[in-house]
């Protein structure tokens, strides 16, 4: 089989953020890729290279924001869209249309939750610092941890249960299992107390999370320097005052 050409992933260099969902799928696929903004300028990398796309100085479909993926001349943005492009090419989603649509539905639901997580520390404006919106962040987070985490987690648990308890979709591991792993890991980091409170609801999902972490390519990735640690610049941030 001819060697596959390399993908180029464009995402902010210092955070897991939304780019991490794409990184996990590329890693599990064993696909060659450059994490472009993390490369040195001498290697053709860095944030200015990413900005050129956002500023419309490069060809292809204009991305609104990162992550975006370049495959040859194709430029693909929106996390869930990137994943639904990659997964069938690497056997990370069942071939049947119903399963692919179902997987995309789940990934979009994960994206909804990720957006809500972001809004816990930025409830008023993306352009303001967290420090400039702390009272609103506290108010928003109190509802988020009480109402939204249990509702989303209950939903994903039901989906898993209805599919036999081992995989979210189909009869083998897919990209949505990887994304669910990332979602739970992020929630654990940001809101450990809330996650502890719903421990009883989490049994099956915890098993899935552990199975993903133990997959050989994922385990190697998590232990590597390619995996950026969670931090307070990303989407999943641990602020003790918001760990309600
Ligand atoms: N719905 C998009 C959201 C993309 C997005 O918000 N990207 C962030 C980084 S995680 C960004 O830098 N956005 C620029 C902006 O919103 O101005 C996705 O899931 O990929």
């Amino acid at each position: 089989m001819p060697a596959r050409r390399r993908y180029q992933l464009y995402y902010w260099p210092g955070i897991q953020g939304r780019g991490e969902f794409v990184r996990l799928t590329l890693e599990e696929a064993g696909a060659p890729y450059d994490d472009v903004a993390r490369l040195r300028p001498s290697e053709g990398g860095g944030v200015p290279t990413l900005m050129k796309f956002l500023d419309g100085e490069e060809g292809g479909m204009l991305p609104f924001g990162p992550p975006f993926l370049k495959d040859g001349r194709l430029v693909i943005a929106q996390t869930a869209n990137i994943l639904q492009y990659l997964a069938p090419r690497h056997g990370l989603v069942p071939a049947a249309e119903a399963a692919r649509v179902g997987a995309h539905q789940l990934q979009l639901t994960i994206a909804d939750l990720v957006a809500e997580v972001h809004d816990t520390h930025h409830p008023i404006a993306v352009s303001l610092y967290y420090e400039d919106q702390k009272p609103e962040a506290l108010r928003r987070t109190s509802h988020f941890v009480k109402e939204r985490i249990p509702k989303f987690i209950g939903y994903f648990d039901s989906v898993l249960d209805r599919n036999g308890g081992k995989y979210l979709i189909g009869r083998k591991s897919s990209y949505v299992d990887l994304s669910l792993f990332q979602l739970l890991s992020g929630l654990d980091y940001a809101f450990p107390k809330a996650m502890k409170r719903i421990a009883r609801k989490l049994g099956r999902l915890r098993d899935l999370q552990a199975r993903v972490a133990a997959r050989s390519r994922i385990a190697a990735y998590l232990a590597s320097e390619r995996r950026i640690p969670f931090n307070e610049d990303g989407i999943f941030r641990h602020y003790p005052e918001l760990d309600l």
Side-chain angles (χ1 to χ4, degrees):
M1 206 166 82
R4 211 204 172 285
R5 68 173 170 228
R6 293 178 83 78
Y7 295 108
Q8 276 79 45
L9 168 66
Y10 291 80
Y11 193 65
W12 304 121
I15 61 171
Q16 293 184 14
R18 290 179 172 92
E20 197 64 13
F21 295 98
V22 185
R23 292 190 185 109
L24 284 167
T25 284
L26 289 167
E27 292 283 343
E28 176 64 11
Y33 73 100
D34 300 314
D35 204 338
V36 178
R38 296 183 73 194
L39 297 177
R40 281 189 285 271
S42 61
E43 299 167 310
V47 171
T49 320
L50 179 159
M51 291 306 300
K52 277 190 185 173
F53 282 86
L54 300 185
D55 293 341
E57 292 170 28
E58 297 283 353
M61 184 73 186
L62 188 64
F64 176 76
F68 50 92
L69 183 84
K70 196 161 179 291
D71 183 16
R73 291 164 66 155
L74 198 56
V75 179
I76 310 156
Q78 290 285 352
T79 310
N81 192 37
I82 298 169
L83 296 177
Q84 75 157 358
Y85 173 81
L86 282 174
R89 285 170 169 71
H90 295 280
L92 287 174
V93 69
E97 185 180 44
R100 279 190 291 110
V101 171
H104 189 47
Q105 172 182 323
L106 292 174
Q107 187 64 45
L108 288 169
T109 310
I110 289 172
D112 289 346
L113 177 49
V114 168
E116 291 198 23
V117 170
H118 175 271
D119 290 351
T120 60
H121 46 80
H122 279 77
I124 300 297
V126 177
S127 54
L128 294 175
Y129 289 111
Y130 163 62
E131 285 70 22
D132 298 326
Q133 41 194 324
K134 279 176 92 168
E136 294 90 350
L138 185 61
R139 191 158 180 223
R140 174 125 196 176
T141 305
S142 72
H143 285 279
F144 177 74
V145 296
K146 253 189 272 156
E147 298 153 17
R148 303 300 283 169
I149 293 183
K151 183 166 182 180
F152 275 101
I153 291 296
Y155 169 73
F156 290 119
D157 181 58
S158 300
V159 171
L160 186 58
D161 187 30
R162 288 161 65 119
N163 195 46
K166 209 159 171 216
Y167 309 109
L168 282 170
I169 203 109
R171 293 285 160 260
K172 64 184 190 99
S173 191
S174 75
Y175 73 96
V176 273
D177 291 332
L178 306 178
S179 295
L180 203 280
F181 158 82
Q182 177 63 13
L183 186 69
L184 291 178
S185 305
L187 290 172
D188 286 338
Y189 175 78
F191 305 108
K193 288 185 184 155
M195 292 300 272
K196 206 165 162 204
R197 263 200 312 277
I198 57 162
R200 268 193 313 115
K201 270 194 182 182
L202 275 167
R204 269 185 294 256
L205 291 168
R206 284 286 183 224
D207 291 345
L208 173 61
Q209 184 185 15
R211 277 197 302 278
V212 170
R215 294 184 70 79
S216 58
R217 285 175 174 164
I218 297 297
Y221 168 64
L222 296 177
S224 76
E225 285 186 358
R226 298 192 300 288
R227 172 80 165 179
I228 301 165
F230 284 110
N231 61 49
E232 280 56 58
D233 294 321
I235 290 177
F236 295 101
R237 302 184 182 192
H238 182 70
Y239 292 123
E241 65 274 22
L242 297 186
D243 181 21
L244 301 169

